[in-house]
């Protein structure tokens, strides 16, 4: 076993231990051993994905990311959602917060989609999301075109209407007898996710872009982009190794102009980065790294359709 392989194994174990530690903290503070299983499982899935990603040859590395996506996605949606009847949709999170119920979805949104973004950026979107675990099997991981200008605003409108919907049900219709694990939870989850899957697949096929739903419709990025700006882990290009072949940009599923960051001696500070590491895999000069550091994203360099890219 060489030094690089040892490092990959060590980092995968650290990932597992990090989640295990979270499980122990929640177990001790909430008094329920379920948290140990829950976070231990997520840590095992993420650690295994990271291990496979690190050890497999370049052309197969995506398998590691997909293993992590499938193991975590099926667990959260299938086991906690469908079997446990927890409304894992964004609206469920709002309802549980209003009802003062510190449930699975609240912990999930607080850790994966808010606090965790300060550490791992939008790693959730690249490695664990149950919507993305389906659309990432479609054939357009390399988007056919740049982004549609201004269409990203729809995500903020979606978030706003989700919030207004919950507020209206709570304050106007005064439906406050809100409980966990009811039939209503299950119906909301099934209908909400069906809606997401249908729109996500339709957009991917229409625009020949697997991640179109993430770019234009999903209400989660506006929440995640706050912490992702500060993320400790970000992509970085080693300038002296880069030949400016452009492959990393062409294959980035989120249309990020990585070289613009490199030319400014910055890490890839875009809050659109989903940490998929496709750029790491594709680079023939091994110039792209997933790195630790301290910086704050201030500008988005993205490729758009049309004459101007800014
Ligand atoms: S943007 Fe939304 S759908 Fe896309 S990966 Fe992130 S949470 Fe999932
Ligand atoms: S793929 Fe590698 S060598 Fe090519 S532009 Fe990107 S970082 Fe530079
Ligand atoms: S910059 Fe790299 S890690 Fe980030 S979304 Fe693009 S390909 Fe994935």
């Amino acid at each position: 076993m060489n030094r690089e392989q040892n490092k990959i194994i060590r980092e995968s174990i650290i990932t597992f231990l990090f989640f295990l530690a979270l499980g122990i903290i929640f177990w001790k503070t909430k008094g329920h051993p379920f948290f140990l299983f829950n976070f231990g499982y997520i840590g095992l899935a993420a650690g295994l994905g990271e291990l496979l990603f690190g050890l497999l040859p370049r052309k197969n590395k995506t398998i590691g990311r997909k293993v992590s996506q499938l193991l975590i996605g099926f667990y959260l949606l299938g086991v906690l959602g469908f079997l446990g009847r927890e409304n894992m949709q964004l609206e469920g999170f709002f309802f549980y917060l209003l009802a003062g119920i510190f449930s699975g979805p609240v912990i999930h949104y607080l850790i994966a989609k808010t606090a965790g973004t300060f550490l791992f950026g939008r790693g959730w979107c690249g490695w664990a999301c149950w919507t993305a675990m389906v659309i990432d099997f479609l054939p357009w991981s390399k988007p056919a075109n740049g982004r549609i200008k201004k269409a990203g605003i729809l995500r903020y409108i979606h978030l706003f209407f989700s919030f207004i919907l919950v507020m209206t049900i709570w304050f106007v219709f005064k439906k406050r007898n809100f409980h966990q694990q009811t039939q209503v939870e299950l119906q909301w989850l099934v209908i909400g996710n069906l809606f997401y899957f249908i729109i996500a697949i339709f957009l991917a096929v229409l625009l020949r872009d697997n991640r179109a739903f993430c770019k234009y419709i999903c209400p989660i990025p506006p929440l995640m982009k706050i912490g992702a700006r500060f993320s400790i882990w970000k992509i970085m290009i080693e300038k002296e190794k880069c030949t400016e072949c452009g492959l990393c940009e062409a294959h980035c599923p989120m249309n990020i102009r990585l070289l613009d960051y490199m030319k400014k001696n910055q890490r890839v500070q875009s809050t659109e980065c989903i940490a998929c590491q496709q750029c790491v895999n594709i680079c023939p000069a091994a110039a792209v790294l997933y790195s630790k550091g301290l910086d704050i994203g201030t500008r988005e360099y993205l490729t758009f359709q049309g004459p101007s890219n800014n």
Side-chain angles (χ1 to χ4, degrees), residues 237 241-248 259 282-285 287-288:
I237 297 181
K241 287 189 186 169
C242 175
T243 59
E244 300 196 23
C245 67
L247 273 176
C248 53
L259 298 188
I282 207 79
C283 177
V288 193

Side-chain angles (χ1 to χ4, degrees), residues 143 147 151-152 155 209 211-217 253-255:
R147 289 176 173 232
R155 299 176 296 183
D209 179 354
R211 291 292 184 143
F213 182 78
C214 306
K215 294 172 195 172
Y216 311 125
I217 305 291
M254 300 304 279
N255 305 103

